[in-house]
Amino acid sequence: MKKRTKIGIIALGFTLFHLIEDFCWVMLGRFTDLSIPIIISAIVFIGLLGGLFFQIPAIKRFISS
């Protein structure tokens, strides 16, 4: 599998997890002053960073061991 595909899959996983988590918080009544586009942008950014994090060689060795 290509490196970009792996990063994309991991980033998608992180992004979906955070979207569901934030949706649950909103449904429970959590209030925020941030706008929805800012929140969604931050979630996507976190997902991409998570995807890149798991491409670090030391992290890959740790997970595969």
Side-chain angles (χ1 to χ4, degrees):
M1 200 180 289
K2 291 184 178 182
K3 183 177 181 178
R4 294 178 86 179
T5 306
K6 290 179 183 179
I7 292 171
I9 291 171
I10 294 171
L12 181 65
F14 270 88
T15 301
L16 289 176
F17 173 76
H18 284 286
L19 280 173
I20 292 169
E21 177 193 16
D22 288 342
F23 177 74
C24 290
W25 282 116
V26 169
M27 293 303 293
L28 289 171
R30 182 177 179 199
F31 178 76
T32 182
D33 289 329
L34 298 174
S35 67
I36 297 295
I38 291 174
I39 293 171
I40 292 174
S41 299
I43 291 170
V44 169
F45 183 71
I46 290 169
L48 289 172
L49 286 180
L52 292 172
F53 175 76
F54 283 103
Q55 294 303 314
I56 298 172
I59 303 299
K60 288 172 91 172
R61 282 192 305 272
F62 176 74
I63 290 173
S64 64
S65 63

